[in-house]
Amino acid sequence: MTIKAYLYDKCGTCRKAKQWLQQNGVSFEEILIVDAPPAADELHSMWRASGLPLNKFFNTSGQFYRELGLKDKLPAMSEDEMLKLLASNGKLIKRPLVSDGQTVTVGFKEDEYEKAWGNR
């Protein structure tokens, strides 16, 4: 399956991740996360494949996260509500978000990228 990299062009971490993928010869489809965030069902699949808690998919340092008061609201929300909220605004999603359908990375840490996307 094609590797999809959800990136935001104004995000320094996204630029680092994109550069790492390119330098390591990883072929990927770049998707602008703000213009085309993944749908709730796709996020659900990525979340399940990642093995991470769903709250790790939220960009907790983002403006919209703070404006919506999500720090206090998330614990009371259902998984479906959280997934719909994430799908509604790409800026709420922690980025970069990279997935091939089975492997998923959220954020950028070089050692995690090497483990997940190295030798591809």
Side-chain angles (χ1 to χ4, degrees):
M1 180 176 209
T2 303
I3 295 173
K4 293 181 180 181
Y6 290 90
L7 307 170
Y8 180 54
D9 57 357
K10 294 179 183 171
C11 169
T13 306
C14 291
R15 288 192 296 268
K16 287 179 189 175
K18 181 178 177 179
Q19 182 179 25
W20 189 96
L21 292 167
Q22 290 171 331
Q23 288 177 344
N24 287 275
V26 179
S27 177
F28 64 96
E29 175 187 357
E30 181 176 350
I31 301 167
L32 300 178
I33 198 164
V34 174
D35 298 336
D41 59 338
E42 188 174 2
L43 282 164
H44 183 269
S45 296
M46 285 191 264
W47 163 51
R48 289 292 187 203
S50 75
L52 296 170
L54 186 52
N55 66 337
K56 296 294 184 189
F57 278 73
F58 281 87
N59 177 13
T60 58
S61 61
Q63 176 183 349
F64 290 113
Y65 184 89
R66 290 191 303 270
E67 284 177 6
L68 295 173
L70 293 178
K71 179 181 177 184
D72 298 322
K73 293 178 182 175
L74 280 183
M77 293 176 77
S78 71
E79 292 170 354
D80 283 343
E81 289 171 325
M82 285 192 261
L83 290 164
K84 286 177 185 169
L85 184 60
L86 285 167
S88 73
N89 187 326
K91 287 189 176 181
L92 287 174
I93 301 171
K94 184 171 177 80
R95 54 194 181 254
L97 177 60
V98 181
S99 174
D100 66 0
Q102 296 186 6
T103 301
V104 178
T105 54
V106 181
F108 175 71
K109 291 186 179 157
E110 195 167 335
D111 58 332
E112 289 178 12
Y113 267 53
E114 183 63 43
K115 184 178 174 186
W117 310 117
N119 302 318
R120 292 240 177 183

